[in-house]
Amino acid sequence: MLPDGPPRPSWRISLPHSTAAVPIARALIRSVLTDIDAPADSDTAELLTAELVANAVEHTPGDEPIELVVELLPAGCQVEVHDGDPAPPGDLSRPEPDDVPDPWQEHGRGLLLIRTLSSSCGHRPTDRGKAVWFRLPPVQP
């Protein structure tokens, strides 16, 4: 069965499995959403993309590249970060009672930001590990 309408615009890029991936991902998402006049908040997309990429770099073993996928949807955009570790991330749907981040710590608030600022988020297995994703709704004028 053929999809209805033209294919949705999407971008896919391999990033190094290092902290250098974070500023590359931030620049890419900002550039993509700005250049195409995307209907999503590029500041929020940039922040949440940086969190997903930083988590993939920090919490997945090895040095295989990670992959950033951006897809424009009829209702906003979806960003995915693919890595080679099949283990799921922390709970993206709701925090556990003992999972409240310490406000004085430098780390530990990424999933909270993703849960709070995205319209939806989650993860799914892939052939080589997992994809962690979030969606942003269109910006209302």
Side-chain angles (χ1 to χ4, degrees):
M1 175 182 235
L2 294 174
D4 294 304
R8 292 182 252 188
S10 64
W11 293 262
R12 183 179 295 264
I13 186 170
S14 287
L15 299 169
H17 195 278
S18 72
T19 56
V22 176
I24 295 168
R26 289 183 81 113
L28 178 72
I29 191 77
R30 177 162 295 282
S31 179
V32 164
L33 296 180
T34 301
D35 287 351
I36 61 166
D37 219 12
D41 176 6
S42 60
D43 290 336
T44 302
E46 185 179 342
L47 172 66
L48 300 186
T49 299
E51 290 296 336
L52 285 187
V53 170
N55 281 352
V57 168
E58 184 176 340
H59 298 293
T60 61
D63 58 358
E64 281 188 37
I66 57 177
E67 190 171 48
L68 175 64
V69 179
V70 181
E71 183 178 12
L72 292 186
L73 304 172
C77 75
Q78 178 167 304
V79 176
E80 291 186 343
V81 173
H82 297 231
D83 64 54
D85 186 358
D91 191 354
L92 285 168
S93 60
R94 65 185 178 288
E96 297 294 323
D98 297 336
D99 200 19
V100 178
D102 181 343
W104 300 107
Q105 294 299 313
E106 198 172 305
H107 301 286
R109 291 181 291 280
L111 294 180
L112 175 63
L113 284 171
I114 292 164
R115 284 191 305 262
T116 303
L117 298 176
S118 68
S119 59
S120 59
C121 58
H123 69 291
R124 62 182 176 79
T126 65
D127 290 341
R128 63 172 271 263
K130 70 176 170 301
V132 184
W133 58 270
F134 67 85
R135 290 187 186 134
L136 292 177
V139 175
Q140 301 301 318

